[in-house]
Amino acid sequence: MATSKSRKAQPLMKQDRDRRFALEGNPFEAMMSRFDDAATRLNLEPGLYRVLRAPEKQIIVSVPIPRDNGEIEVFTGFRVLHNTSRGPAKGGIRFDMNVSLDEVKALAAWMTWKCAVVNLPFGGSKGGVICDPSTMSDREIERVTRRYTSAIIETLGPESDVPAPDVNTNERVMAWIMDTYSMHKRHTVTGVVTGKPIAMGGSLGRKDATGRGCLVVTQCALAKRKMKTRGATVAVQGFGNVGSTAARLMSEAGMKIVAVSDKSGGVFNARGLDIADCLKWVADKKFLDGYHKGERVSNAELLTLKCDVLVPAALENVITSKNADDIQAKIICEGANGPTTAQADVILDNKGVYVIPDILANAGGVTVSYFEWAQDRSGYFWDEETVNDRLHKIMTHSFDEVHGMSVKHKVSMRIGAYMLAIDRVAAMHRMRGLYA
Ligand code: GLU
């Protein structure tokens, strides 16, 4: 492997970047264009560049299950391990109709960079099954989970690859994965997944961790902008685990949540929404649709509302070259993975919008996953205050490190985060050398 520091990145990377730029909407290209930018600035050796851009392992499996009506249906599942140089692969599993190999590859790489940004001893992976759980019974979801787990079982393990919840998966799904894996191993292995129910080796504070991390880094960004937490106005897109927790914790911290949305659309109230009340509504009715204590807004309208902080906490590619110019928020805290395209980055940068990038902003989840994995392996469990204090410490420290990188290299917070992450992963590769 060419690892000599004096060798510069190849000019070919620029052509690659231009080609990628034309592919707005492809998450793998979105990830790679930021990777290229950061790698070029770091003068990453070409050999290492080639190693870090290629996922270590890509698995595609068929997941046949009997539906409740007796008919057999075959779903497609993926698991991609992007890089394991710093430790076991870590990353969620999503059940969604939009899952594709390209998406899972991008999300796996994002996990590598995310774990490195917050300096966890993990690599990155991601998995998914193309399915729509809203049309499936619990029994069918359980069958898909168990069959998918058994299909990828060789990669799984506390030392090799550790899943967690992601879009449309939850602690129930993690419990089934843990049970399936343990039945094959002939003994209970709690550390094979994180985001489990507390009673079976889950960590206190894990459920709120991503939203709590969003709050912490948003407070850091507000301070950098010399703005106050109290009274700052916030719009949150997505009312799943990340969005609803961020909204709840931000409102408890004194911020004014002016809009929230879910799949069914959003609700806006300039005087501030009562988030506890919205949560009660959703617990009862499943969706925000029909919630009447505010005006209805669409998901697209929510993004361009006048507010101090925008939290896109739903899916990828919602802030693009088409709407970036209309964004009025001063700060964007990316609760979701990949909500902003590389093309939109340029527009937001020029407008002076302070973007807290996904690989930092939503890293609270995997940070407490790390705590859960550590607790499972030691068999000693921490109280919630310890979890939250340690999470706070890691998030504020990581924010400062990314900020320091962005100032030092005169780049955005996003490119600063990528540079910090790539530098850490590359350093590990240089120390380990290439086994060939
Ligand atoms: N799915 C979450 C993420 O994208 C959590 C991953 C984990 O805890 O391993 O960060």
Side-chain angles (χ1 to χ4, degrees), residues 90-92 111 114 126 162 164-166 194 206 337 362 365-366 369:
K90 189 81 193 79
M111 286 309 300
K114 191 186 303 188
K126 203 78 172 197
V162 187
D166 201 81
T194 59
R206 173 62 185 86
N337 292 310
N362 68 41
V366 74
S369 277

Side-chain angles (χ1 to χ4, degrees), residues 332 334 355-362 402 413-415 417-418:
I332 297 179
E334 296 186 333
V355 179
I356 315 168
D358 47 7
I359 55 174
L360 168 66
N362 68 41
V402 171
M413 285 288 279
R414 177 162 347 258
I415 298 303
Y418 272 79

